[in-house]
Amino acid sequence: MATYQAINACTWRNGSWIAGVTDYVRQGVYPEANNYENVGAMLFDLTSIRNTYANYYPTSATIHLVRIAAGDWGSARTMTLYAGNAYGMPAPSSGSSVSGSRPTKVTAGYNYTVSAGQGAKDIAISTALIDSIGSGASNCLFMDAGSSTLNYMGFGGRDDLSQIVLTINWASRTTACSAPTSCSVSSTLSEGSVTLSWSGASGGTNNAISGYEIQYSDSSDNITWGSWTALTTVATSATSGSVTVSPPSTRGNYRRFQVRTRGTAGASYYSGWKVSTNSVRRNTVPNPPTTASASPTTYSDETITLTWSGASGGTSPIKGYQIASRTSTDNSTWSAWNVLATLTLAASGGSYTPNVSRTPGTYTQFGIWTIDTLDVYSSKKITGSIYCDITACGAPTACSVSTTLSEGNVTLSWSGAASGAGNAIISYEIQYSDSSDNSAWSAWTALTTVNTSATSGSVSVSPPAIRGNYRRFRVRTRGTAGEGFYSDWTVSSNSVRRNTLPTPPSSFNATPAIYEVNTVTLAWSGAAPGTSAIKQYVIQRATSTDGTNWSAYEALAIVVSSATSGTYEATASPVAGTYTRYRISVTDVLDAVSPYVVSGTVKKNSPPAAPSIICPISGSSTYNTTPRFMITTGIEPDGQTQIVEVKIDAGPWNNSVDNPEKFSTGGYLVGGAKTVYQAESLPVGNHTVAFRCLDSDIESSSPEVIRTFTILPSPFETITANVTHVKEAHIQALRTAVNTVRHYHCLSQAAWREVIIAGKTAVKSWPFHITELRKAIEPVITMINDFDASPTFDIPPVTWLPIGMGRPKADVMQQLQNLILTL
C-alpha cells in the first residue's frame, strides 16, 4: 500500500506553478477573495509514485480529506479529479513561483462530492483513474473545484481543507524472462574448445535472471541436424555470458548451440530458446609431403639440402612444417627423432638446410610433418639416408694485420676457416717471419696457439724488435681429427713494420740571448719524419740562477705541426738574472718520440746598478756656471757596457754615446768606470741634476740618482791694483767660497787656524792666511784632476804668484778669486 500526502504536492494558479507548502496545505499567498485564500490545481506526482512501485500495479485508491474551521462547512462541495501531464513544476521546497502552463488532461474529469460539515471525508477513486495511475500514460493526478480555471477550492475559509491524503493499494506482478538477443561461437573451425557467447537477455517482473540452459546439436553437412542434447547450465544473474564448448568429436562434423534464460519465478517463466547464429566444425588432419629427399647422399663438409613437395591442408590451410632428424651407424638401427626446426611456410613444398652430424661413419635420415593453421600435425614423411665421411679442416680464406706500420702491438685477424667432416675446429696455430726489406724473409717461427671453435679469430701481435724491419704471419686451422687433418697454412696478405723514430731538429735557437721583455723566440729547422709523419713538437725548459746548475726540465708547450721547421713565442722568466734553456723533441703520428735537442741559453736582463755621484753633494753650491759632475758607473750584472746619461733641470738627457764631448770619457763604459760631465753655462740659481746608466744591449735603465745644487753669484769684490785696499772682508769672502767649493766636491770644511777680526788681525799674518787658502783649494784641484784618467775638464796646473810681505797684492787675490770661480 502506498500513502501519498498532499504536503508533497505543488499547485497551479493564474499561469504559474506555486511552491511553498504550509502545514495546512496552503500553496502560496494570494489577495483574499471574499475572505478566502484559494488554490488552483492541486497535483500528486504519479512519476515518483510509480518509480517506487515499479514491480507492482494499483488495485484501488482513496482520497482522505478533513474539513476544519467554521466556514461554509454546512454545504457540500464538488471536487473534480483528472489524470494529466504537467511540466516545469518547481520543487515543493522552492520559495519561488515559476511560470508554466496548466496541466494537460489525459482522462475525463471525475466529480466527487465533499459532504457538508466538519471532519474527515473519504472518497474512493474511479477505476479509470486507477488504470491511468498504473499505465504510465500520465505523470500527475490533480484535483480542481470545477472545470474552469476560474473555479478554485478554498483552503482558508468556509471550505477549509487539511491533510489531503492519497492512498493507493498495489498488487505484485510476475512475467517471463526474455531470451538472449544474440548468440554465437567465437570460431567456426576449431581443433579444440571455442567460446559460446550470448547477450541481450533480461529478467521478468518479479522474476530475476538465475541462469542459462545450454543445449547442442550435431551435423555432418551443416544442413541436416541431429536432436538437441543438454550440455550445461550456467548460474548467473547477468544479462550476458559465455562458456567454453567443444566441436564434435568426429573430424569434419559441425555443432550448433541454443540458450534460454532461467528466472527465479521457476520453469513456467523461463524464456524461449535462442539458437546460435553460427556453428563450429571439427578440423581435419593435413597431409604430409608426397616426396622428400636429402642431398648429397655422401658428404664430408658439404652443405646438406633437404627438399619436399606434395603436402596439403585438411579443413585448415598449411601453416608450416616440422623438420627432425635421426642417426644410425649401420643404416638399420636408428636413434630417436631430434627436432631441428619448425618452419613457417604456407606452401605445398619447400627446402631447408639442416645441421647434420659431421662424425665420420654416421648415417642420417630426416622426417617432415605438415602443420596446419590450427597446429594439427600430419603423419611424417621420411627421406632416404645420407652418409658422412672425415675430411681435413678448411684454412682461413682471409688473414691480415690491422695496420702495416706500428709502434706497438697490432691485431692479426683471420676468417673463412671451416671444420672438416667429422673434424670440428678446436684451435688455430700461428707463426711469424721477419724481413729487413719486406722481400727476403727469415724462417717461420712458432708464435702462439689460439683455442677457439669459431671460424674466425684475432690475436694481438707485435712488430719486429728492430725499428724499420717487417713481420708477416701465417695461420692454419686445427681440428678434432688430429694433425693429419689440419688445414694448409694461410699467409697474411700484409705485413707490419716497426716504426722508425723521427729525427729532431738540426738547429734549435732561442733569441735574444739577453731579453728585457719576457718573450723569447724559439726557432727550429732540420727535423725529419721517420716512417710516420710528424704530428707535433714537445718543448720543455729548465732554469738556472748561475748558468751552471739547472732545474729539472718542465713541460712548456706542445706545438701541433707536421712541418720540419717552426717557431714558438715562449714566455720567459720575469726574474732578472735568470738563465733559461729549452729542449725540443719530435712526436710522430704513432706517438713515437725522437731524442731531445737543447737550445742555447737566454738570460733575463739585469739593469745596471745606480751610478755613484761624487759631486755635487745634494744641496751644495758652486760658483762655476759650467759645473762639473763626477760620475762612477755601477756594476752591470750581465757584463754589458753602459751608457751614462745626465739631465739638468727639465732639459734633455745627454749621454756618453751621443754627446761624448760633454763627458771626460765618452762612449760605452764598463762597470766602475769614472767620467766627468761638464754642463753648459747655467744661470745663477737652484738646479736639479739626474744621473742614470743604460746597459748597451737592452738599454734598460738603472735607478736614477738625483742631486740638487745652487750656482751662486760671485761673492768677490773686484780688487784693483794700487786702488783696492785688501781688507779682512776680502779674506773672509775667500774662506767662505773655498768651503762652499769644498762641500760641492764632497770635501770636509777647512778649519782656519786664526779668526780674522777687522782692525785687530795683524798685517804680518796675512801671507799665512793666503797660504792657508791655497792649501784648502789644492785638494779640490787634485780631486778634479785625479778623478779619472782623462785630462778633459781638468784644472790646468796652477803656478801660485809670490805672496810677498804685508797685505796681499791685488794679483794674488785675483788669482784665488778666478780659480774658485772655475771649480
Side-chain angles (χ1 to χ4, degrees):
M1 183 178 69
T3 301
Y4 193 81
Q5 192 169 345
I7 57 173
N8 292 321
C10 291
T11 65
W12 181 89
R13 184 180 186 277
N14 290 345
S16 297
W17 290 106
I18 309 302
V21 181
T22 69
D23 291 341
Y24 292 98
V25 201
R26 292 186 179 92
Q27 307 293 326
V29 178
Y30 306 95
E32 294 184 0
N34 299 322
N35 296 319
Y36 294 101
E37 285 187 356
N38 298 320
V39 67
M42 172 73 72
L43 273 73
F44 297 95
D45 186 351
L46 295 183
T47 299
S48 63
I49 295 173
R50 278 196 296 270
N51 288 342
T52 303
Y53 296 93
N55 294 324
Y56 300 84
Y57 63 93
T59 57
S60 62
T62 60
I63 290 181
H64 175 80
L65 304 95
V66 177
R67 296 188 70 171
I68 61 176
D72 191 12
W73 53 269
S75 61
R77 300 292 294 171
T78 300
M79 177 181 68
T80 304
L81 291 181
Y82 302 88
N85 289 300
Y87 303 97
M89 291 183 292
S93 60
S94 172
S96 301
S97 298
V98 179
S99 296
S101 59
R102 185 184 182 95
T104 59
K105 299 173 182 178
V106 173
T107 64
Y110 294 87
N111 295 323
Y112 299 93
T113 299
V114 180
S115 62
Q118 293 176 312
K121 312 295 179 180
D122 292 294
I123 299 170
I125 297 177
S126 69
T127 301
L129 289 176
I130 294 172
D131 291 342
S132 179
I133 292 172
S135 68
S138 59
N139 67 8
C140 65
L141 181 70
F142 65 97
M143 62 183 176
D144 202 348
S147 61
S148 170
T149 59
L150 300 177
N151 294 324
Y152 305 108
M153 179 174 286
F155 281 84
R158 292 164 54 194
D159 301 319
D160 242 351
L161 299 174
S162 176
Q163 294 181 338
I164 302 175
V165 178
L166 172 64
T167 301
I168 303 172
N169 297 307
W170 303 87
S172 174
R173 68 177 84 192
T174 301
T175 61
C177 293
S178 297
T181 58
S182 65
C183 178
S184 63
V185 288
S186 59
S187 177
T188 59
L189 181 66
S190 177
E191 181 64 21
S193 295
V194 297
T195 300
L196 175 68
S197 302
W198 62 90
S199 63
S202 62
T205 303
N206 296 314
N207 185 22
I209 296 173
S210 63
Y212 297 89
E213 187 176 348
I214 301 165
Q215 296 178 350
Y216 71 89
S217 173
D218 290 349
S219 171
S220 61
D221 58 4
N222 207 26
I223 297 175
T224 303
W225 296 93
S227 61
W228 290 103
T229 302
L231 178 62
T232 188
T233 299
V234 178
T236 177
S237 61
T239 60
S240 61
S242 64
V243 67
T244 299
V245 294
S246 300
S249 58
T250 303
R251 290 192 176 276
N253 278 13
Y254 302 81
R255 177 169 288 180
R256 65 178 181 174
F257 302 87
Q258 65 178 11
V259 181
R260 69 174 175 178
T261 312
R262 302 172 61 155
T264 55
S268 298
Y269 294 95
Y270 288 0
S271 74
W273 292 96
K274 174 65 177 179
V275 179
S276 60
T277 56
N278 55 358
S279 60
V280 58
R281 187 182 189 190
R282 170 73 74 172
N283 184 48
T284 59
V285 176
N287 299 307
T290 56
T291 62
S293 63
S295 61
T297 56
T298 301
Y299 68 95
S300 55
D301 56 356
E302 293 89 349
T303 298
I304 303 302
T305 301
L306 177 64
T307 59
W308 64 92
S309 63
S312 61
T315 49
S316 297
I318 295 173
K319 181 177 78 172
Y321 297 89
Q322 176 178 281
I323 312 296
S325 66
R326 64 182 182 179
T327 59
S328 172
T329 58
D330 59 5
N331 204 24
S332 177
T333 303
W334 296 94
S335 68
W337 288 105
N338 174 44
V339 175
L340 301 178
T342 300
L343 307 180
T344 299
L345 178 62
S348 61
S351 64
Y352 177 69
T353 303
N355 290 323
V356 295
S357 171
R358 299 293 175 177
T359 303
T362 300
Y363 294 89
T364 303
Q365 287 182 342
F366 300 94
I368 304 174
W369 289 258
T370 307
I371 307 172
D372 69 12
T373 54
L374 295 181
D375 291 326
V376 176
Y377 287 64
S378 72
S379 58
K380 61 182 174 291
K381 177 65 176 179
I382 302 176
T383 69
S385 301
I386 60 174
Y387 180 70
C388 178
D389 196 7
I390 194 167
T391 60
C393 291
T397 57
C399 178
S400 63
V401 288
S402 58
T403 182
T404 58
L405 181 66
S406 177
E407 183 64 21
N409 284 4
V410 299
T411 300
L412 174 68
S413 301
W414 60 92
S415 62
S419 296
N423 187 19
I425 297 172
I426 58 172
S427 63
Y428 294 89
E429 187 177 351
I430 301 168
Q431 296 179 348
Y432 71 89
S433 175
D434 289 348
S435 173
S436 61
D437 58 4
N438 206 28
S439 177
W441 295 92
S442 68
W444 290 103
T445 302
L447 178 61
T448 188
T449 298
V450 177
N451 295 317
T452 178
S453 60
T455 59
S456 61
S458 64
V459 67
S460 179
V461 294
S462 60
I466 300 173
R467 290 191 177 276
N469 277 15
Y470 301 81
R471 178 168 288 179
R472 65 178 181 174
F473 302 87
R474 67 178 185 178
V475 181
R476 68 174 176 178
T477 313
R478 297 163 54 135
T480 55
E483 187 172 359
F485 294 93
Y486 289 178
S487 75
D488 293 331
W489 291 97
T490 297
V491 179
S492 59
S493 58
N494 56 358
S495 58
V496 60
R497 187 182 188 191
R498 170 74 75 172
N499 185 45
T500 59
L501 295 179
T503 302
S506 58
S507 173
F508 181 42
N509 297 312
T511 57
I514 297 176
Y515 60 90
E516 178 68 20
V517 178
N518 299 335
T519 300
V520 173
T521 299
L522 305 178
W524 62 90
S525 62
T531 47
S532 297
I534 293 173
K535 180 176 80 172
Q536 64 190 26
Y537 293 86
V538 176
I539 301 175
Q540 298 177 342
R541 68 181 171 192
T543 57
S544 172
T545 57
D546 57 7
T548 300
N549 299 300
W550 293 90
S551 68
Y553 279 100
E554 61 179 358
L556 175 62
I558 294 177
V559 179
V560 178
S561 172
S562 61
T564 58
S565 61
T567 61
Y568 179 75
E569 296 292 325
T571 300
S573 171
V575 179
T578 298
Y579 296 85
T580 304
R581 66 183 179 186
Y582 301 87
R583 68 179 185 179
I584 189 169
S585 67
V586 184
T587 305
D588 67 14
V589 294
L590 295 181
D591 292 326
V593 181
S594 74
Y596 280 96
V597 173
V598 180
S599 72
T601 300
V602 296
K603 181 181 180 184
K604 169 65 176 176
N605 184 58
S606 299
S612 175
I613 308 304
I614 306 303
C615 73
I617 296 297
S618 194
S620 65
S621 300
T622 183
Y623 303 99
N624 187 356
T625 58
T626 58
R628 297 175 185 82
F629 306 133
M630 298 180 184
I631 306 166
T632 302
T633 60
I635 299 300
E636 208 299 314
D638 302 318
Q640 302 175 63
T641 57
Q642 302 178 53
I643 303 170
V644 180
E645 290 194 325
V646 179
K647 181 175 76 168
I648 300 174
D649 297 331
W653 286 98
N654 292 314
N655 66 71
S656 59
V657 173
D658 297 327
N659 311 104
E661 73 280 359
K662 296 184 178 182
F663 292 83
S664 62
T665 302
Y668 295 98
L669 306 180
V670 298
K674 295 182 178 182
T675 186
V676 176
Y677 177 88
Q678 184 157 28
E680 296 178 351
S681 180
L682 299 175
V684 171
N686 297 325
H687 297 279
T688 300
V689 60
F691 305 90
R692 68 184 183 188
C693 289
L694 308 179
D695 53 28
S696 57
D697 288 349
I698 309 300
E699 294 193 0
S700 58
S701 175
S702 71
E704 293 184 8
V705 179
I706 307 298
R707 294 285 190 264
T708 58
F709 67 95
T710 304
I711 296 180
L712 300 173
S714 174
F716 303 124
E717 178 185 349
T718 302
I719 298 175
T720 306
N722 301 318
V723 174
T724 303
H725 183 70
V726 176
K727 300 179 292 185
E728 167 271 339
H730 295 126
I731 298 300
Q732 291 287 21
L734 284 170
R735 282 185 171 182
T736 299
V738 167
N739 273 332
T740 295
V741 169
R742 284 177 66 91
H743 181 242
Y744 179 86
H745 289 88
C746 198
L747 296 174
S748 62
Q749 298 290 288
W752 311 110
R753 296 176 66 184
E754 180 182 7
V755 177
I756 300 175
I757 302 173
K760 292 186 178 181
T761 301
V763 174
K764 65 178 181 178
S765 299
W766 283 42
F768 167 74
H769 297 316
I770 295 300
T771 300
E772 190 177 40
L773 285 168
R774 289 177 174 177
K775 288 183 178 181
I777 288 174
E778 286 175 351
V780 176
I781 296 171
T782 300
M783 177 183 178
I784 292 172
N785 291 345
D786 291 348
F787 179 72
D788 63 349
S790 172
T792 308
F793 309 137
D794 279 2
I795 305 298
V798 179
T799 302
W800 296 110
L801 297 175
I803 299 175
M805 300 299 292
R807 292 184 184 276
K809 296 179 181 180
D811 58 352
V812 171
M813 295 295 287
Q814 289 172 353
Q815 184 184 35
L816 286 171
Q817 290 176 350
N818 292 337
L819 181 59
I820 289 172
L821 293 178
T822 65
L823 299 178

Short mmCIF file of all heavy atoms in Angstrom, two decimals, residues 773-792:
data_model
loop_
_atom_site.label_atom_id
_atom_site.label_comp_id
_atom_site.label_asym_id
_atom_site.label_seq_id
_atom_site.Cartn_x
_atom_site.Cartn_y
_atom_site.Cartn_z
N LEU A 773 144.66 79.45 2.45
CA LEU A 773 143.59 79.36 1.45
C LEU A 773 144.05 78.50 0.27
O LEU A 773 143.27 77.69 -0.27
CB LEU A 773 143.20 80.76 0.96
CG LEU A 773 142.35 81.60 1.95
CD1 LEU A 773 142.28 83.05 1.47
CD2 LEU A 773 140.95 81.02 2.09
N ARG A 774 145.30 78.74 -0.15
CA ARG A 774 145.81 77.95 -1.28
C ARG A 774 145.84 76.45 -0.93
O ARG A 774 145.47 75.60 -1.77
CB ARG A 774 147.22 78.42 -1.65
CG ARG A 774 147.24 79.80 -2.32
CD ARG A 774 148.67 80.22 -2.59
NE ARG A 774 148.70 81.48 -3.36
CZ ARG A 774 149.83 82.12 -3.68
NH1 ARG A 774 150.99 81.60 -3.31
NH2 ARG A 774 149.79 83.25 -4.37
N LYS A 775 146.24 76.11 0.29
CA LYS A 775 146.27 74.71 0.70
C LYS A 775 144.86 74.10 0.78
O LYS A 775 144.68 72.92 0.55
CB LYS A 775 146.98 74.57 2.05
CG LYS A 775 148.48 74.80 1.94
CD LYS A 775 149.17 74.60 3.30
CE LYS A 775 150.69 74.77 3.17
NZ LYS A 775 151.38 74.55 4.45
N ALA A 776 143.85 74.91 1.10
CA ALA A 776 142.48 74.41 1.17
C ALA A 776 141.90 74.17 -0.23
O ALA A 776 141.01 73.33 -0.42
CB ALA A 776 141.60 75.40 1.95
N ILE A 777 142.42 74.92 -1.24
CA ILE A 777 141.91 74.78 -2.61
C ILE A 777 142.58 73.62 -3.32
O ILE A 777 141.96 72.93 -4.16
CB ILE A 777 142.13 76.10 -3.39
CG1 ILE A 777 141.15 77.18 -2.85
CG2 ILE A 777 141.92 75.92 -4.88
CD1 ILE A 777 141.39 78.54 -3.43
N GLU A 778 143.83 73.38 -3.03
CA GLU A 778 144.60 72.38 -3.78
C GLU A 778 143.94 70.99 -3.75
O GLU A 778 143.93 70.28 -4.78
CB GLU A 778 146.03 72.32 -3.24
CG GLU A 778 146.85 73.52 -3.68
CD GLU A 778 148.25 73.55 -3.04
OE1 GLU A 778 148.46 72.70 -2.12
OE2 GLU A 778 149.07 74.37 -3.46
N PRO A 779 143.33 70.48 -2.63
CA PRO A 779 142.66 69.17 -2.66
C PRO A 779 141.51 69.11 -3.67
O PRO A 779 141.23 68.06 -4.26
CB PRO A 779 142.15 68.98 -1.23
CG PRO A 779 143.07 69.80 -0.39
CD PRO A 779 143.40 71.02 -1.23
N VAL A 780 140.85 70.25 -3.85
CA VAL A 780 139.76 70.28 -4.83
C VAL A 780 140.32 70.08 -6.22
O VAL A 780 139.80 69.30 -7.03
CB VAL A 780 138.97 71.59 -4.72
CG1 VAL A 780 137.89 71.65 -5.81
CG2 VAL A 780 138.34 71.74 -3.34
N ILE A 781 141.43 70.80 -6.51
CA ILE A 781 142.06 70.68 -7.83
C ILE A 781 142.54 69.24 -8.03
O ILE A 781 142.35 68.63 -9.10
CB ILE A 781 143.21 71.69 -7.96
CG1 ILE A 781 142.66 73.12 -7.89
CG2 ILE A 781 143.97 71.47 -9.25
CD1 ILE A 781 143.73 74.19 -7.78
N THR A 782 143.18 68.70 -7.00
CA THR A 782 143.69 67.32 -7.09
C THR A 782 142.54 66.33 -7.34
O THR A 782 142.65 65.40 -8.16
CB THR A 782 144.44 66.95 -5.81
OG1 THR A 782 145.54 67.86 -5.64
CG2 THR A 782 144.95 65.52 -5.86
N MET A 783 141.45 66.53 -6.62
CA MET A 783 140.29 65.62 -6.77
C MET A 783 139.77 65.67 -8.19
O MET A 783 139.47 64.63 -8.81
CB MET A 783 139.18 66.02 -5.79
CG MET A 783 137.92 65.18 -5.92
SD MET A 783 136.65 65.76 -4.80
CE MET A 783 135.35 64.64 -5.25
N ILE A 784 139.62 66.86 -8.74
CA ILE A 784 139.11 67.01 -10.11
C ILE A 784 140.06 66.36 -11.09
O ILE A 784 139.65 65.60 -11.98
CB ILE A 784 138.89 68.49 -10.43
CG1 ILE A 784 137.72 69.06 -9.58
CG2 ILE A 784 138.58 68.67 -11.92
CD1 ILE A 784 137.55 70.56 -9.68
N ASN A 785 141.34 66.67 -10.97
CA ASN A 785 142.31 66.19 -11.96
C ASN A 785 142.61 64.70 -11.82
O ASN A 785 142.95 64.05 -12.82
CB ASN A 785 143.60 67.00 -11.87
CG ASN A 785 143.39 68.45 -12.33
OD1 ASN A 785 142.38 68.76 -12.97
ND2 ASN A 785 144.33 69.33 -12.02
N ASP A 786 142.52 64.20 -10.60
CA ASP A 786 142.85 62.79 -10.40
C ASP A 786 141.63 61.86 -10.46
O ASP A 786 141.74 60.66 -10.29
CB ASP A 786 143.52 62.61 -9.02
CG ASP A 786 144.91 63.24 -8.99
OD1 ASP A 786 145.41 63.59 -10.09
OD2 ASP A 786 145.45 63.36 -7.89
N PHE A 787 140.40 62.42 -10.66
CA PHE A 787 139.19 61.60 -10.62
C PHE A 787 139.20 60.53 -11.69
O PHE A 787 138.87 59.38 -11.46
CB PHE A 787 137.94 62.48 -10.74
CG PHE A 787 136.65 61.69 -10.72
CD1 PHE A 787 136.20 61.11 -9.53
CD2 PHE A 787 135.93 61.49 -11.88
CE1 PHE A 787 135.04 60.35 -9.53
CE2 PHE A 787 134.76 60.73 -11.88
CZ PHE A 787 134.32 60.17 -10.69
N ASP A 788 139.55 60.89 -12.92
CA ASP A 788 139.60 59.90 -13.99
C ASP A 788 140.90 60.08 -14.76
O ASP A 788 141.66 61.02 -14.53
CB ASP A 788 138.40 60.00 -14.90
CG ASP A 788 138.31 61.32 -15.65
OD1 ASP A 788 139.07 62.25 -15.30
OD2 ASP A 788 137.47 61.42 -16.56
N ALA A 789 141.15 59.20 -15.68
CA ALA A 789 142.40 59.21 -16.42
C ALA A 789 142.40 60.26 -17.53
O ALA A 789 143.46 60.60 -18.07
CB ALA A 789 142.68 57.83 -17.01
N SER A 790 141.24 60.73 -17.88
CA SER A 790 141.16 61.69 -18.98
C SER A 790 141.51 63.09 -18.47
O SER A 790 141.03 63.50 -17.39
CB SER A 790 139.75 61.68 -19.58
OG SER A 790 139.61 62.71 -20.51
N PRO A 791 142.32 63.87 -19.25
CA PRO A 791 142.63 65.24 -18.82
C PRO A 791 141.52 66.22 -19.16
O PRO A 791 141.58 67.40 -18.76
CB PRO A 791 143.90 65.55 -19.62
CG PRO A 791 143.77 64.73 -20.86
CD PRO A 791 143.08 63.48 -20.45
N THR A 792 140.53 65.73 -19.93
CA THR A 792 139.44 66.62 -20.31
C THR A 792 138.77 67.15 -19.06
O THR A 792 138.45 66.38 -18.13
CB THR A 792 138.42 65.89 -21.19
OG1 THR A 792 139.10 65.25 -22.27
CG2 THR A 792 137.36 66.82 -21.74
#
